[in-house]
Amino acid sequence: MITNASRGLLSRAATVSGATRIVANASAESCAVSATRQCLPARASSHWAGYEMGPPDPIVGLNEAFGHDDFENKVNVGVGAYRGDEGRPFVLPVVRKAEEMMQGHHLDHEYLPIAGDPIFVKLATEFAYGKDSAPIAEGRLAAVQSLSGTGGLRVFGEFLKKGGHEHIYVPDPTWGNHIPIMRNSGLEVRKYSYYDVDTSGLNFEKMMADIKDMPAGSCILLHACAHNPTGMDPSPEQWAEISKAVKDYKLVPFFDCAYQGFASGNAPKDAEAIRMFVEEGHNIALVQSFSKNFGLYGQRVGALSVVCADPEEAKRVTSQLKITIRPMYSNPPKHGAHIVRTILGDEALTAEFIDECKGMADRINDMRVRLRENLEQVGSTRNWEHITKQIGMFAYSGMNKDQVMAIREKHHIYCTLDGRISMAGVTSGNVEYMADAIHDVTK
């Protein structure tokens, strides 16, 4: 039974409760209307706030600048990727054919082993070393599939570090990514002389002196062919001298081979230095990329191999390469490697590949001749002989940084700041324009 006193207490409680709701509602409305930060919970400071903006990659930044340029006749000769004479990306017909064949096989998408596709690895190493190579025949080649050349370089850098190496020697200049890859592997990067800017040629005498000054046991990185960025390779006679010095001074030769077949149009010829060193008894290491020669830029196809003393040593080295790969990327991708193995595993397709690869090399060499001819015809008094002496995708033009910026601003031609020109970007439609522009900023 509710008494009058109880009713009074309930009435007062309701009044108080109502007043509280009114105050609370008024407060909420006031907060919503004012939208002041005091009404919102404080946002926690980000753990990532201390991370600074990194500098743009030189090539990526160059491509972005090119993309934002509205000039109709702009030219991009900074990208290290082949283009046809119409200036568009080029897929080798034999690659298309291999992909069609693969579709009919209903391939699965299972993981590859840590060391990659063993058939691809076998065919890739035979492509570089030769099918009759002694290390392959004797079972003393440790080899794994890699994430193109870049991944193989990183794996080998860490492999060296684990084995007690503290430094590696690279040519001056070298591919820009060599340096951060090796530094991030924990190695000190040292340079040896390679290119003479004054003569636009190989500084062989200074190169040999630097090689002979390297401490015994040092690893020396060598470009197997089509040196990037200079396009200037040693002659066969000079390679023989390099081989002798490397052996005499007990150095570890490590070849980076990114352009086999693409440099001269002759795959065995482009592998001459590799095969010479092996025949002369060096236990070389080799990283191969199939991006340029097969046009498989986005597939990340490569191989890393180490010549060992005997099969037992090869097994131990392979085990260490796999231990390095496992926590890094676990195992390599499948599709691109299967394209390469389909082509190299078939004599007819291999013949087609060699012919198409030669076609790419021939087009680039033709552009070298035409660029030099146009520079000479336009009245330039400079010596442009180095353009046709160099080989491979790149021409080290000799333009300095100021001239590179001038040709970009005045003529909308984009190349890297060291004056490196990707000859794949030079076409029959722009070669005269290129020559006029280069002459304008270098006269």
Side-chain angles (χ1 to χ4, degrees):
M1 181 176 181
I2 300 176
T3 65
N4 289 336
S6 298
R7 289 191 185 95
L9 289 171
L10 289 170
S11 176
R12 286 194 294 274
T15 301
V16 172
S17 176
T20 301
R21 286 196 297 274
I22 291 169
V23 171
N25 290 340
S27 176
E29 290 171 6
S30 175
C31 180
V33 171
S34 63
T36 58
R37 293 188 177 183
Q38 288 82 357
C39 298
L40 298 173
R43 179 177 293 173
S45 61
S46 171
H47 174 75
W48 320 113
Y51 285 75
E52 297 180 354
M53 175 65 72
D57 181 88
I59 302 297
V60 173
L62 189 71
N63 291 341
E64 289 176 351
F66 177 79
H68 293 145
D69 191 332
D70 295 328
F71 186 67
E72 184 179 358
N73 295 322
K74 63 183 179 179
V75 180
N76 188 349
V77 285
V79 181
Y82 183 76
R83 298 288 182 262
D85 196 49
E86 71 287 345
R88 293 193 295 270
F90 178 75
V91 178
L92 274 67
V94 72
V95 167
R96 291 291 193 210
K97 186 178 290 187
E99 288 180 314
E100 290 172 3
M101 292 170 63
M102 289 162 56
Q103 286 180 348
H105 295 160
H106 303 291
L107 302 172
D108 61 45
H109 295 283
E110 292 296 300
Y111 288 121
L112 285 178
I114 297 172
D117 181 334
I119 297 175
F120 160 77
V121 171
K122 176 180 180 294
L123 292 168
T125 52
E126 288 178 350
F127 183 62
Y129 292 91
K131 291 184 178 181
D132 57 350
S133 174
I136 294 175
E138 296 165 7
R140 54 186 181 90
L141 186 70
V144 296
Q145 184 180 335
S146 66
L147 301 182
S148 196
T150 301
L153 285 159
R154 180 58 186 265
V155 170
F156 189 69
E158 293 201 12
F159 173 77
L160 284 176
K161 181 66 176 178
K162 286 180 181 179
H165 285 259
E166 296 295 332
H167 61 264
I168 186 170
Y169 284 89
V170 302
D172 183 18
T174 192
W175 179 46
N177 217 16
H178 279 149
I179 295 170
I181 288 171
M182 292 305 167
R183 282 179 178 163
N184 289 351
S185 299
L187 298 172
E188 175 195 352
V189 178
R190 301 178 182 178
K191 296 181 180 181
Y192 62 89
S193 299
Y194 190 85
Y195 192 74
D196 188 335
V197 176
D198 294 332
T199 64
S200 297
L202 187 67
N203 194 347
F204 186 68
E205 184 177 339
K206 188 68 168 63
M207 176 186 180
M208 292 300 295
D210 286 354
I211 289 175
K212 293 174 183 178
D213 278 342
M214 295 177 189
S218 296
C219 183
I220 176 173
L221 188 149
L222 301 160
H223 294 230
C225 62
H227 180 272
N228 181 1
T230 71
M232 191 64 69
D233 290 350
S235 67
E237 295 76 20
Q238 289 171 329
W239 272 122
E241 289 188 51
I242 294 168
S243 173
K244 184 178 186 305
V246 167
K247 180 179 284 188
D248 290 346
Y249 289 84
K250 298 179 173 58
L251 306 177
V252 180
F254 174 36
F255 282 93
D256 184 351
C257 184
Y259 298 94
Q260 186 185 353
F262 187 94
S264 68
N266 182 324
K269 177 179 173 60
D270 291 343
E272 279 182 350
I274 295 167
R275 298 179 184 187
M276 175 193 294
F277 271 61
V278 172
E279 288 168 5
E280 294 183 357
H282 294 275
N283 285 353
I284 72 164
L286 166 68
V287 64
Q288 297 167 260
S289 168
F290 293 87
S291 296
K292 305 293 194 298
N293 50 5
F294 279 76
L296 297 172
Y297 304 98
Q299 298 297 336
R300 315 313 296 143
V301 189
L304 172 65
S305 54
V306 181
V307 176
C308 300
D310 53 57
E312 194 59 37
E313 183 176 273
K315 291 177 183 177
R316 296 197 305 272
V317 169
T318 301
S319 74
Q320 292 300 322
L321 293 175
K322 289 162 67 175
I323 288 170
T324 303
I325 290 168
R326 177 60 173 158
M328 189 184 294
Y329 57 83
S330 189
N331 54 297
K334 196 171 190 176
H335 184 73
H338 208 101
I339 292 173
V340 175
R341 90 174 227 186
T342 299
I343 294 169
L344 293 182
D346 182 289
E347 288 187 7
L349 292 180
T350 299
E352 288 183 43
F353 159 73
I354 290 171
D355 185 58
E356 292 168 14
C357 196
K358 185 177 185 304
M360 292 191 290
D362 287 348
R363 192 191 84 75
I364 283 182
N365 289 333
D366 180 53
M367 288 301 105
R368 288 185 180 278
V369 172
R370 292 179 64 179
L371 180 59
R372 177 184 169 184
E373 286 177 349
N374 276 277
L375 280 164
E376 292 169 348
Q377 290 169 6
V378 82
S380 178
T381 56
R382 295 180 60 160
N383 184 355
W384 297 104
E385 189 180 58
H386 57 280
I387 289 179
T388 50
K389 278 188 173 181
Q390 294 166 358
I391 192 172
M393 183 171 284
F394 302 109
Y396 216 44
S397 68
M399 288 189 292
N400 59 37
K401 183 177 178 180
D402 291 338
Q403 292 165 341
V404 167
M405 293 308 299
I407 203 171
R408 186 183 306 178
E409 292 165 6
K410 293 178 64 178
H411 302 284
H412 307 268
I413 294 173
Y414 292 78
C415 66
T416 54
L417 292 176
D418 58 2
R420 187 195 77 171
I421 292 173
S422 173
M423 292 304 300
V426 183
T427 69
S428 57
N430 66 28
V431 65
E432 291 183 20
Y433 178 73
M434 286 276 301
D436 288 340
I438 293 171
H439 174 53
D440 181 54
V441 301
T442 58
K443 61 185 178 183

